[in-house]
Amino acid sequence: MTAISATDFQTVLSRCGIELQALAGKDISVHSPIDGTELASLAALPGAQVPQVIDHAVQAFKQWRLVPAPVRGELVRLWGEELRRAKADIGHVICSEVGKIAQEGLGEVQEDVDICEFALGLSRQLHGKTIVSERPGHRIMEQYHPLGPVAVITAFNFPSAVFAWNAAIALVCGNPVIFKPSDKAPLSGLATFKALERAIARFGDRAPAGLAQIVLGGAAVAEALVDSPRIALVSATGSSRMGRAVGPKVAARFGKRILELGGNNAMVVTPAADLDLAVRAIVFSAVGTAGQRCTSLRRLIVHRDVKQPLLDRLLPAYRSLRIGNPLQPDTLVGPLINEASFEALQHSLSQALKDGGHLLTGGQRQLEHQFPQGFYVAPAIVDMPAQTSIVRHETFAPLLYVLSYDELEQAIALNNDVPQGLSSCIFSNDLREVEVFLSAAGSDCGMANVNIGPSGAEIGGAFGGEKETGGDRESGSDAWKQYMRRTTNTINYSRELPLAQGIQFG
Ligand code: NAD
């Protein structure tokens, strides 16, 4: 028996504006991780056509950069309206395509709406500074100008929000966008993109043709965008392996890039922690989205004195998790994206046990009889004697390692001693511990939280991480500056020509 009705799903896709027949082909086969049902078979854009797509974006840029930013803001306001209207349908597509539970599917579309509202406000605030000059009769100011076409390459696990985060900001900043969704989740990307197309239609002829384009395909299509010097900014979200390929190519042509890559996020639990609060945060951040968030909790660094009481609370919570079809309202843990992901989890588990780890719970496949083509797993916890190399590696599944510590400095050293640097948190009610964790000698991650887990960020903050996570930021705060080119203007309104640094010339 299948959990997904192909006819119902097609109806939802049509309401989202997706006509599968027009996109049909043999290149990308999209399967639901829920039960393996084939949701669509799509044609990829031939690599040879990518330059034409880029031409359109380059032409669109010439017009769009001249549209006043607050008017550009009106376009993302309309996009936000379209997304609100289609929230339930796009949420359903996300759940069916990547296996998120309903609350998380809806939450992802809400994130799209939130970033549109943020970008609307931003469209009146793209301002630079005025700087005092050392020379009489002079003034220095900064301006931020549109940059050029932006390519947005996304991962499967946030197939809608990552596009919206980038596109909403890029559009108000005056840039056309070319979207290359994950080939594991193109339908969620298409549904989000179609909402943008409807907004563009309502916005009318103020939006040039080619302002927003979508290209379907795998790494080859993405590479054609990455390699083009006409793409001013490549924003690529995915594994560190992908970033290692993309980063040097963009750098070689002196392009701009935003890399949002893998994480290996930790929580430090100190003796001064509220353990009940910590348990709730651990469960949400380690098993939510079946451990397939870049910010998922992967390492629990707990003080030896509170380890047992914490595990005494955590293990029963893990054992009571409802694992199953994410379309059912009471499910908390859906499937992994595919079999390869399940195999990767099994590999990490067996390596951890070889390294002296002790499996406390989980790891086994679930619901195999009901869903032979669905890869469900009981979230696992492994007590580790040390931070071995498998612990330092990102396993994109619900696998939580427990490490013990005696002194806070040790806990911070463990937190930082991984190649990735995305998110981290501390649970403590001791002000000194908290401030040390947040200080220059504390967590080295792009995000460091207190008394909340490492996942579930709001769009208002800058999102991203250090080291192998890529070092860049997107979404809120001043991340918009990366989507613009900055000019420094020195204006002389005197009748003299004094030189800086007091230089006398001639
Ligand atoms: P992935 O690296 O397999 O693919 C991501 C995207 O990159 C896809 O669109 C893919 O087609 C493209 N791609 C792959 N190889 C490429 C290449 N050589 N050149 C150009 N493009 C290429 O990642 P995934 O499995 O879809 O997603 C999971 C990973 O993404 C995890 O590591 C997770 O931590 C990370 N992620 C990071 C963030 C973040 O904001 N830091 C957010 C979501 C996911």
Side-chain angles (χ1 to χ4, degrees), residues 106-346:
L106 291 173
E108 183 162 349
V109 188
Q110 185 58 45
E111 222 171 305
D112 299 346
V113 172
D114 293 346
I115 197 75
C116 285
E117 291 176 357
F118 180 89
L120 169 64
L122 190 64
S123 70
R124 290 183 183 270
Q125 299 174 73
L126 302 170
H127 39 231
K129 290 178 176 160
T130 291
I131 298 156
V132 289
S133 169
E134 68 190 44
R135 287 170 279 188
H138 284 57
R139 183 171 72 80
I140 303 173
M141 70 173 187
E142 291 174 332
Q143 293 187 84
Y144 286 87
H145 290 311
L147 186 66
V150 175
V152 183
I153 299 166
T154 61
F156 81 85
N157 65 323
F158 275 91
S160 176
V162 172
F163 171 57
W165 281 12
N166 282 281
I169 306 286
L171 287 168
V172 296
C173 289
N175 307 313
V177 288
I178 302 173
F179 176 26
K180 205 299 280 173
S182 162
D183 44 343
K184 293 177 208 153
L187 299 173
S188 309
L190 274 163
T192 313
F193 183 80
K194 289 287 172 187
L196 175 56
E197 276 190 342
R198 292 194 292 279
I200 289 175
R202 287 171 63 197
F203 191 71
D205 56 13
R206 292 172 296 176
L211 181 60
Q213 300 175 85
I214 186 165
V215 293
L216 301 185
V221 174
E223 279 167 21
L225 294 168
V226 166
D227 288 337
S228 171
R230 295 185 300 160
I231 298 292
L233 170 68
V234 174
S235 175
T237 299
S239 57
S240 297
R241 180 189 49 75
M242 177 276 285
R244 204 166 268 122
V246 169
K249 287 186 181 176
V250 181
R253 62 174 178 82
F254 298 100
K256 286 191 168 196
R257 58 69 184 305
I258 297 175
L259 292 179
E260 296 287 347
L261 311 174
N264 193 349
N265 318 294
M267 176 190 292
V268 174
V269 181
T270 85
D274 175 336
L275 294 187
D276 290 325
L277 204 64
V279 166
R280 286 168 55 194
I282 294 165
V283 175
F284 173 71
S285 51
V287 314
T289 324
Q292 299 169 107
R293 286 184 179 221
C294 50
T295 50
S296 288
L297 177 63
R298 313 214 177 273
R299 298 176 297 134
L300 185 59
I301 302 169
V302 54
H303 192 278
R304 226 173 279 279
D305 290 352
V306 288
K307 180 174 166 186
Q308 202 50 52
L310 182 71
L311 291 176
D312 288 345
R313 289 166 166 85
L314 186 60
L315 292 174
Y318 257 60
R319 291 188 184 121
S320 68
L321 288 167
R322 291 179 302 276
I323 303 163
N325 178 352
L327 299 175
Q328 300 295 331
D330 59 345
T331 298
L332 285 177
V333 187
L336 295 174
I337 188 71
N338 55 26
E339 185 171 6
S341 174
F342 177 75
E343 295 301 337
L345 169 63
Q346 295 309 311

Side-chain angles (χ1 to χ4, degrees), residues 26-27 29 35 41-42 48 182 281 303 325 426 438 478 484 491:
K26 293 198 167 67
D27 307 309
S29 179
D35 61 0
S41 184
L42 307 173
S182 162
H303 192 278
N325 178 352
I426 187 167
L438 300 180
D478 65 351
M484 303 203 83
I491 300 153

Side-chain angles (χ1 to χ4, degrees), residues 1 30 71 74 142 159 242 252 285 301 370 379 418 439 453:
M1 204 190 93
V30 188
V71 179
E74 168 65 4
E142 291 174 332
M242 177 276 285
S285 51
I301 302 169
Q370 196 181 347
V418 290
S439 75

Side-chain angles (χ1 to χ4, degrees), residues 28-41:
I28 310 166
S29 179
V30 188
H31 291 265
S32 171
I34 298 176
D35 61 0
T37 299
E38 186 177 69
L39 299 175
S41 184

